[in-house]
Amino acid sequence: MKVPRFPDGFVWGVSTSAFQIEGATSADGRGPSIWDVFSADRAEACDHYHRRSEDVRLMRELGMAAYRFSVSWPRVFPDGSGKPNPAGLDFYERLVDELLAAGIAPYATLYHWDLPQALEERGGWPSRDTARRFADYAAAVHDRLGDRVGTWFTVNEPWVAAFLGYGSGVHAPGRKSAAEAFRSAHHMLLAHGLATQALRAAGAAKVGAVLNLSPVMTPAQVGDFGRELSEEDAEAVGRIDALANRQFLEPMLRGAYPAELLPVIERHGGLGHVRDGDLDTIAQPLDLLGVNYYTPLVVQAQPSEAADPAFPGSDGVLFCTIPTAVTAMGWPIVPGGLTLVLRRLSEEYPDLDLMVTENGADFVDVVTGDGIHDVERISFIEDHLRALLSAVREGARVRGYLVWTLLDNLEWSDGYQRKFGLVHVDFATQRRRPKDSALWYRDVIRRNGLTETPPRRPTLETVAARAGVSRATVSRVVNGEASVSADVRTSVLRAVKELGYVPNAAARSLVTRRTDTIALVLSVPRQGDALTAAVVQYVTSMLEGAGKQITLMLADTAESHRRIVQHAEARLADGVVLLPPDRADTLAERLSRTGVPLVLLGKPAVASMVPYVDVDNAGGAAAATEHLLARGRRRIGMICGPMDLVAVQDRLAGHRAALHRAGLRPLLALADVTRASGAAAARQLLADDPSLDAVFAAGDQLAIGALHALREAGRRVPEDVAVAGFDDIDAASATTPGLTTVRVPVADQALALARLLLSRLEGRHTTSVVLPTRLVVRDSTSASRP
Ligand code: FCB
């Protein structure tokens, strides 16, 4: 069998960035960065600062040849300028030494978005001085590491840093000005040029930059890139390509901005910041261009469309959603886009060496007792490696491939909910566990190639897809039923043989009774429970997408419980999803005794073996409470929802624990789930303690009720009393002032539930999943107390 192989000397590795993994944000004199100020998430990340050696060992075991990390600017220059902080540099020196001892080539990125806050306060990237400071910083880092680091990258994805940081404000520092975004982009380019000069002057071996590059196409071109475009669509595609890609490529590699971009920049604040000689400085010869590729940009002309703030000048262009598979991030999976990017670069810049410096995917991982079987991530990487190989075969000079990323980490504004790692991180314990994708990647590295047949464990679905029949048909053939035609039987058996499918005992006993129907059992949704409604909607569409029919059943009376249990006993459903089983009833237990695979949304009141999907309620409540404490609030009342709900019990426990750590005692008021009861509880808290200065509510509807009641009582929010809620992100975004709340990942819960159930149907061992929550800080808590 011919194995697709990569060129000799092809470099395999992973990329990370300082802010996303290091933690230890005030250790050894590090100053704050713009992300420390902007981020709503706790900053420990993966605590890599203290676990560096373990992480290097992990990479060595996985066979990495290169590791691209970023240096944290505020560790080296805590105040942005002055003398470098030796302790900050020590950390990277030790890291580099350990990498070299492990046989891993260190690739250092100098700017991966963590600008020292001190420089932001002096103007940030819209100020030209920041570019000069960057060159000094580059020289200081080289001074310490230059004898050991051979490959340097100046800036990472300046488009993101400039246009999300200063344009749309979705990233730090959160400014929203098109003019500042263009100025920032120019100054990042200038910073790249000045730093490249400084590094070269100091004798750096290889210097490059890293750009996020996406092919731009219309929806119709996604499946057929060669397709002709109308004049309007061609113009839209060209304009977005200039903004996203050529704005950076052409100054760096040709010494000029794309001609059609100049009037756009001119219209947004002018061109005064582009000085004579800048473009010559920017266009330093490059040894290597790093390409980060995740997904294409899909657009079409649409005259009525207003500009997207991340793409100032994009008026009349619609950013389209396309009906392709997506990652959990919602990014369309289009491996062919990588071939397009690499092909184009090698056509336009034939002498330039390229490296894929980031590529990878966020999927919801299900942690089971026997590992993390992240087959989607394996397929994603494998498909992109095949796409890379096609470009190499056409002559593209691609020198290596670095997966984004080694560890699950702090994904910028999205917090900890995103899972891009080859290695799973349990953020409560910092335990690292390689996922299947890590072990698979290790084998790819060893072979310097892929295998002909994807190594995925074939499932009933794969067999069905290969044979072009339904799962039920495959079951019937596998179980020797006579009702299948000879032709179909032959093709199913061929697929079984080709794929090496082995039906396991559990699946086998199940498949004989397949109905391809799943019962979705709903405990009575409480009023205002938007969350459950959303989860139901997502779970339904995911299971339907997997070919299941859904029977919705309401568990509202003793009689209905009996009917539901009978339904399961009679095997009228292959599996049951019960949501939410918070109340201390026996339905979950009775269903689990029927032997029908069962999964729960939310941790059950009574501990059992039934796997569930939950969110970290205690952690979320603790984060909200700690946030209030950090704002100087000391008399914090909590409004609890119904105490028979496990989620409420956990939120209370998290709140108590945080208060306890601060040496404070809880002040509680009970409510149900409605706004009116939240208002009543807030009035009670005020009566109990007139100097109340903050309220944490176990639900956002309760918090909204409290907002109203506090205002009626003449209290200002947040000046007098700060308010934080939990879990209804939509409702919380609509209040005045905006409500600080704990966001729970709705789609991820649904996806995890659906996957948990599907794994159980395959007879695989499964364990419960607890997803992280995220504090979203808004104005209702923003003022601090002295
Ligand atoms: C890239 C960033 C990296 C990470 C991935 C998902 O844009 O460089 O830090 O956020 O996306």
Side-chain angles (χ1 to χ4, degrees), residues 20 112-113 156-157 160 292 294 331 358 404 411-412 420:
Q20 292 178 276
H112 203 127
W113 309 350
N156 174 74
E157 301 194 357
V160 174
N292 292 357
Y294 290 92
W331 293 348
E358 284 182 30
W404 183 267
E411 174 56 31
W412 308 112
F420 276 91

Side-chain angles (χ1 to χ4, degrees), residues 181-192:
F182 281 118
R183 288 174 72 89
S184 297
H186 181 71
H187 293 145
M188 287 177 198
L189 285 166
L190 186 62
H192 157 77

Side-chain angles (χ1 to χ4, degrees), residues 235-290:
E235 189 281 327
V237 163
R239 187 144 44 99
I240 300 307
D241 184 44
L243 284 164
N245 300 318
R246 291 192 292 124
Q247 175 166 201
F248 299 92
L249 281 171
E250 296 189 3
M252 278 184 185
L253 298 164
R254 294 193 170 141
Y257 275 109
E260 74 264 45
L261 195 61
L262 290 171
V264 178
I265 305 179
E266 174 104 68
R267 260 191 289 128
H268 293 91
L271 280 160
H273 59 286
V274 182
R275 301 211 187 142
D276 281 352
D278 280 2
L279 283 150
D280 292 337
T281 307
I282 293 168
Q284 298 301 308
L286 285 193
D287 300 303
L288 188 61
L289 179 70

Side-chain angles (χ1 to χ4, degrees), residues 428-742:
T429 59
Q430 290 294 351
R431 178 175 171 210
R432 275 85 163 129
R433 285 173 82 185
K435 304 176 192 175
D436 285 359
S437 56
L439 307 176
W440 171 86
Y441 191 50
R442 177 195 61 196
D443 294 343
V444 170
I445 298 175
R446 269 191 202 147
R447 262 187 246 118
N448 194 33
L450 301 168
T451 49
E452 199 51 75
T453 24
R456 277 159 255 162
R457 193 190 304 174
T459 61
L460 212 59
E461 274 86 5
T462 355
V463 176
R466 170 75 65 106
V469 300
S470 73
R471 287 171 44 115
T473 306
V474 177
S475 313
R476 287 206 292 271
V477 173
V478 168
N479 288 286
E481 285 180 28
S483 61
V484 184
S485 77
D487 283 359
V488 170
R489 178 179 308 277
T490 313
S491 69
V492 169
L493 291 176
R494 191 183 319 120
V496 165
K497 191 151 160 268
E498 282 170 7
L499 293 166
Y501 172 67
V502 186
N504 65 30
R508 215 180 165 111
S509 74
L510 273 169
V511 287
T512 50
R513 291 178 235 145
R514 272 281 148 85
T515 61
D516 276 330
T517 296
I518 303 294
L520 199 63
V521 179
L522 207 54
S523 308
V524 199
R526 289 171 293 277
Q527 193 190 342
D529 191 355
L531 182 68
T532 311
V535 175
V536 170
Q537 200 190 342
Y538 279 108
V539 171
T540 306
S541 73
M542 279 165 190
L543 289 174
E544 282 177 352
K548 309 287 178 200
Q549 282 174 15
I550 306 299
T551 313
L552 200 60
M553 308 185 82
L554 207 59
D556 53 348
T557 57
E559 170 55 23
S560 68
H561 284 203
R562 208 180 45 78
R563 231 183 332 102
I564 291 163
V565 173
Q566 271 178 1
H567 188 86
E569 277 167 346
R571 293 293 187 273
L572 295 173
D574 297 344
V576 178
V577 183
L578 174 58
L579 59 169
D582 315 64
R583 292 187 190 271
D585 60 36
T586 54
L587 183 57
E589 240 357 87
R590 286 166 67 195
L591 279 170
S592 81
R593 281 202 299 270
T594 65
V596 170
L598 168 69
V599 296
L600 308 177
L601 173 68
K603 187 166 72 182
V606 184
S608 78
M609 296 295 289
V610 182
Y612 60 82
V613 173
D614 203 357
V615 299
D616 182 8
N617 285 297
T625 309
E626 276 155 11
H627 165 76
L628 293 169
L629 290 166
R631 295 277 148 110
R633 309 287 165 158
R634 285 294 170 275
R635 310 190 81 97
I636 308 174
M638 174 169 173
I639 302 180
C640 302
M643 287 305 299
D644 58 338
L645 299 187
V646 180
V648 173
Q649 294 164 15
D650 285 352
R651 289 173 198 180
L652 175 58
H655 172 71
R656 265 185 207 283
L659 286 182
H660 182 74
R661 285 192 289 273
L664 297 173
R665 296 166 63 90
L667 172 67
L668 306 178
L670 291 181
D672 52 37
V673 295
T674 59
R675 289 186 183 187
S677 81
R683 285 191 287 269
Q684 189 206 313
L685 288 171
L686 278 177
D688 292 348
D689 183 351
S691 54
L692 185 79
D693 62 14
V695 170
F696 166 58
D700 283 327
Q701 296 297 328
L702 299 176
I704 294 169
L707 278 176
H708 292 309
L710 290 166
R711 228 175 284 135
E712 267 168 29
R715 302 294 205 280
R716 291 168 308 159
V717 177
E719 293 82 350
D720 304 329
V721 184
V723 178
F726 211 118
D727 92 12
D728 188 346
I729 192 78
D730 289 336
S733 63
T735 61
T736 321
L739 181 63
T740 289
T741 190
V742 179

